[in-house]
Amino acid sequence: MFTWAKRKLVRSFFLSLLLGTLTWGDSVLAAERILYIPLDDRPVNLAYTVDTFKKAGIDVVTPPTELLSSSSRKGDPDALGKWLQEEGPFAEAAVVAADSLIYGGLTTSRTHELSETLLNERVNVLLDFKTRHADIPLYVFATIMRSPKWSSAPQEPQYYAQWGPKLFLWGALRDKKDMGPLSRKEEKELGALQKEIPLSIQNDLLQRRQKNAAVLAQLYDAAEAGTFDYFLIARDDSAPYSEAHLDARRLLQDRKKSYTIRSFSGTDEMGMILLTRAYYKARGLTPIVYGFYAPGAGKDTVPDYEDGTIAHSYKEHVWALGGYPAKRAKRADFVAGIYTPQDGVTRGADQAANTDLVTSGMTAFLDQSEVFLRAGYAVGIADIAFGNGSSRGLIKGLFERRLPHSAEPMAYDLASYAGWNTASNSLGYTLGQGLMARQMTPQKRKELLTVRYLDDWAYEALVRQHLRVEYTYPNKWQEGKFTPKEKEILHTALQKEMKETAFPYLGQRVDGYTYDLPWNRTFEVSVVKKTMK
């Protein structure tokens, strides 16, 4: 059973005018060919995102993959800028990850040795696109340099391998002090860190952040001047007190609030968000979205890796994709169920608390989801109770339930589902895929759901831990640097464990996919549909 509530174009059009979201730069024609420069070639940024829109009948055109950042190469900003200019005349809109066009990708935005002069030149390439193609809506996103809590080299400069946690604490205390006085204990702790962390490392980190802040300020000013049709500033891996939070606050303070510029937690979902915006703006539509939460802390949950409540993040994501966050479900085009932890603490999906038990809170949340489905609403679920993977009990509940007259579990009655990486990553995917699902056939919608269940639940919440415990940890294999032999062993084990893990819920669907570790590490998986011979 899966029916969409019928909505009228007139209502959405006039709501767009009322909200001021139908702007001069927004075409009212269908954006059938959209240029898209992703952050890098990871599946969540490239393959999964593009596939979503292709399934909805939209031609999303991306650069040759060799120009994008990968696990083994830096992106090519100059070639990407040339590609964007050459393709511009043949597109109806463009969505651009500024980090790729300026630094070469997300990772290199943190590790580069580029001069300010070169960075300025690359910013101007992006600004020049709108000068040459004034009639093409340009949607841009850029990231504030993240503040990881762990030692994450080589995703950061090499000194993070030794100093990562202390650098995070140093930044958190500096952020807190910038907002108000520290306690005597905190002042003492900050002073000790200032002495302990080598001055050369402190200076290098602050100089990197200053370069990032300068680029963002240029892009912000350009967006404010109308160069971009919409600009998102993504706060990658942040915290309520962190260097990233400090940078964001300084960037935004004393600047006028703009309806075409937004900043919130998240990063890897931004391509999905802006492509969704491009689609709806091209049609002059403002989708109405209603959100509800699981019992307990609900909307007041502050997820790990983020610096604000999930309620704030939800509203910002809806506004960013061109929608309207409604207070009631009555007229909603899409209902987003946000599964939050009872106590408001988001733990890792690999922790013992993540079990197959279907709790009373899960039952209540699924009951509410079922009510909306029975009423004919398009319903998506953002499963954010755990970071980096699905809630195993919630997935069990979704596959155990069956709506009346439905041939499949409730898991396949949904418009969308996501439970990967950070809360905002999952939220953005749920909203984007859910709003685009109404343009798809039921079979294509179910294919997207299958990929998410295989990736977010089977791999991230279960198989990934098995691979680490059985192979990488005991053998001390280095993440990101697996040898060909090590990768072959992991690849073989991955095919076997994915099938064994997912088959009880997904059945024969599992046989239709192959699995790979695209960045030569166990952090993410690539789920690829087999081609018919």
Side-chain angles (χ1 to χ4, degrees):
M1 174 183 162
F2 190 90
T3 60
W4 299 113
K6 294 183 179 179
R7 310 297 176 212
K8 293 184 178 180
L9 173 64
V10 173
R11 186 200 75 225
S12 189
F13 178 80
F14 280 105
L15 180 59
S16 299
L17 293 176
L18 177 65
L19 296 172
T21 56
L22 184 62
T23 63
W24 176 252
D26 293 325
S27 167
V28 296
L29 299 176
E32 298 299 336
R33 191 173 195 268
I34 304 176
L35 303 182
Y36 173 47
I37 297 181
L39 275 171
D40 49 45
D41 74 351
R42 284 174 295 149
V44 292
N45 288 321
L46 183 57
Y48 294 167
T49 297
V50 171
D51 187 48
T52 299
F53 291 87
K54 286 190 178 296
K55 280 180 164 54
I58 306 302
D59 185 16
V60 175
V61 183
T62 58
T65 54
E66 62 267 21
L67 303 185
L68 300 174
S69 172
S70 73
S71 62
S72 59
R73 67 171 180 270
K74 297 178 181 179
D76 189 335
D78 296 329
L80 287 172
K82 183 179 180 182
W83 176 86
L84 184 65
Q85 294 289 7
E86 290 175 348
E87 292 292 331
F90 311 105
E92 282 75 41
V95 173
V96 177
D99 294 65
S100 289
L101 206 61
I102 296 169
Y103 306 105
L106 181 60
T107 298
T108 47
S109 74
R110 312 167 190 143
T111 60
H112 69 86
E113 301 293 341
L114 303 173
S115 68
E116 290 187 15
T117 299
L118 182 55
L119 292 176
N120 290 338
E121 290 176 1
R122 289 176 176 173
V123 168
N124 287 330
V125 170
L126 184 56
L127 305 187
D128 185 55
F129 176 83
K130 192 64 174 180
T131 301
R132 297 189 185 190
H133 310 291
D135 59 333
I136 299 175
L138 177 59
Y139 305 96
V140 177
F141 66 100
T143 62
I144 290 176
M145 190 172 163
R146 74 178 184 176
S147 299
K149 296 180 181 179
W150 59 92
S151 300
S152 53
Q155 301 301 311
E156 261 72 34
Q158 284 299 321
Y159 49 74
Y160 262 84
Q162 179 180 355
W163 296 98
K166 289 184 178 180
L167 287 171
F168 173 81
L169 183 57
W170 177 60
L173 290 171
R174 291 176 59 253
D175 181 23
K176 192 172 184 180
K177 185 173 183 177
D178 190 70
M179 297 175 69
L182 297 176
S183 67
R184 183 175 299 179
K185 180 181 178 181
E186 290 170 333
E187 282 283 7
K188 185 176 180 180
E189 191 173 18
L190 178 58
L193 287 168
Q194 292 277 170
K195 293 179 180 179
E196 184 180 4
I197 300 171
L199 186 60
S200 60
I201 292 177
Q202 294 182 36
N203 289 337
D204 182 81
L205 181 59
L206 292 178
Q207 286 171 8
R208 290 178 184 280
R209 304 199 75 92
Q210 188 278 326
K211 285 183 179 180
N212 176 249
V215 166
L216 289 169
Q218 285 180 272
L219 294 173
Y220 191 108
D221 291 342
E224 201 169 41
T227 303
F228 309 145
D229 293 80
Y230 206 76
F231 180 45
L232 288 184
I233 304 168
R235 301 209 286 270
D236 191 18
D237 287 6
S238 186
Y241 292 114
S242 64
E243 202 85 57
H245 183 250
L246 174 61
D247 288 350
R249 194 173 64 257
R250 287 178 173 174
L251 174 67
L252 300 174
Q253 68 185 10
D254 300 328
R255 292 180 183 270
K256 295 179 180 179
K257 185 175 181 180
S258 172
Y259 290 108
T260 59
I261 306 173
R262 291 191 179 273
S263 176
F264 48 88
S265 295
T267 293
D268 289 328
E269 78 279 14
M270 295 300 174
M272 177 75 71
I273 290 295
L274 286 183
L275 283 167
T276 303
R277 183 181 184 88
Y279 173 87
Y280 277 94
K281 288 302 170 185
R283 288 153 175 77
L285 300 174
T286 298
I288 298 176
V289 181
Y290 174 76
F292 71 95
Y293 301 85
K299 63 184 179 64
D300 296 321
T301 298
V302 178
D304 203 6
Y305 311 110
E306 303 192 5
D307 58 14
T309 65
I310 191 62
H312 174 76
S313 183
Y314 158 72
K315 288 183 179 179
E316 290 295 316
H317 275 77
V318 173
W319 286 119
L321 56 74
Y324 177 75
K327 294 182 178 180
R328 291 180 293 275
K330 186 177 180 181
R331 296 179 178 274
D333 298 295
F334 180 69
V335 173
I338 304 170
Y339 182 67
T340 45
Q342 180 79 26
D343 60 2
V345 179
T346 55
R347 299 168 175 83
D350 59 342
Q351 294 189 17
N354 192 10
T355 71
D356 291 330
L357 176 66
V358 182
T359 66
S360 59
M362 291 175 185
T363 299
F365 178 80
L366 291 172
D367 285 346
Q368 186 63 66
S369 302
E370 184 173 336
V371 167
F372 285 118
L373 285 170
R374 285 172 178 258
Y377 287 94
V379 179
I381 289 179
D383 184 356
I384 69 159
F386 294 95
N388 296 316
S390 300
S391 303
R392 291 165 53 183
L394 187 70
I395 291 292
K396 182 180 180 182
L398 276 169
F399 277 91
E400 286 180 341
R401 290 194 178 214
R402 194 178 297 270
L403 273 61
H405 312 298
S406 179
E408 296 196 83
M410 195 171 103
Y412 281 101
D413 291 318
L414 297 176
S416 59
Y417 167 88
W420 61 282
N421 214 353
T422 70
S424 284
N425 292 160
S426 293
L427 181 59
Y429 252 57
T430 297
L431 292 168
Q433 289 191 329
L435 283 169
M436 295 309 300
R438 57 193 297 170
Q439 314 303 326
M440 302 173 194
T441 65
Q443 179 59 33
K444 290 180 178 179
R445 169 181 56 80
K446 291 176 183 180
E447 287 177 3
L448 289 181
L449 287 168
T450 296
V451 171
R452 297 267 51 87
Y453 295 137
L454 287 169
D455 191 320
D456 307 357
W457 166 69
Y459 181 75
E460 294 193 35
L462 291 163
V463 173
R464 176 167 56 192
Q465 308 314 317
H466 296 165
L467 295 181
R468 289 173 173 176
V469 170
E470 294 175 17
Y471 298 98
T472 65
Y473 292 164
N475 295 309
K476 297 182 179 180
W477 293 351
Q478 190 172 357
E479 293 280 344
K481 296 183 179 181
F482 298 142
T483 67
K485 183 178 180 180
E486 291 167 355
K487 189 167 184 180
E488 182 181 354
I489 292 171
L490 287 170
H491 182 78
T492 301
L494 176 62
Q495 311 310 307
K496 178 177 180 291
E497 293 209 21
M498 285 293 290
K499 183 172 182 177
E500 292 177 352
T501 300
F503 188 84
Y505 288 168
L506 276 69
Q508 298 297 332
R509 280 187 169 98
V510 181
D511 296 330
Y513 295 84
T514 58
Y515 314 96
D516 194 16
L517 303 177
W519 271 45
N520 206 24
R521 61 186 185 182
T522 59
F523 184 75
E524 65 267 288
V525 71
S526 175
V527 180
V528 180
K529 190 173 178 61
K530 293 178 181 177
T531 56
M532 299 295 292
K533 294 183 179 180

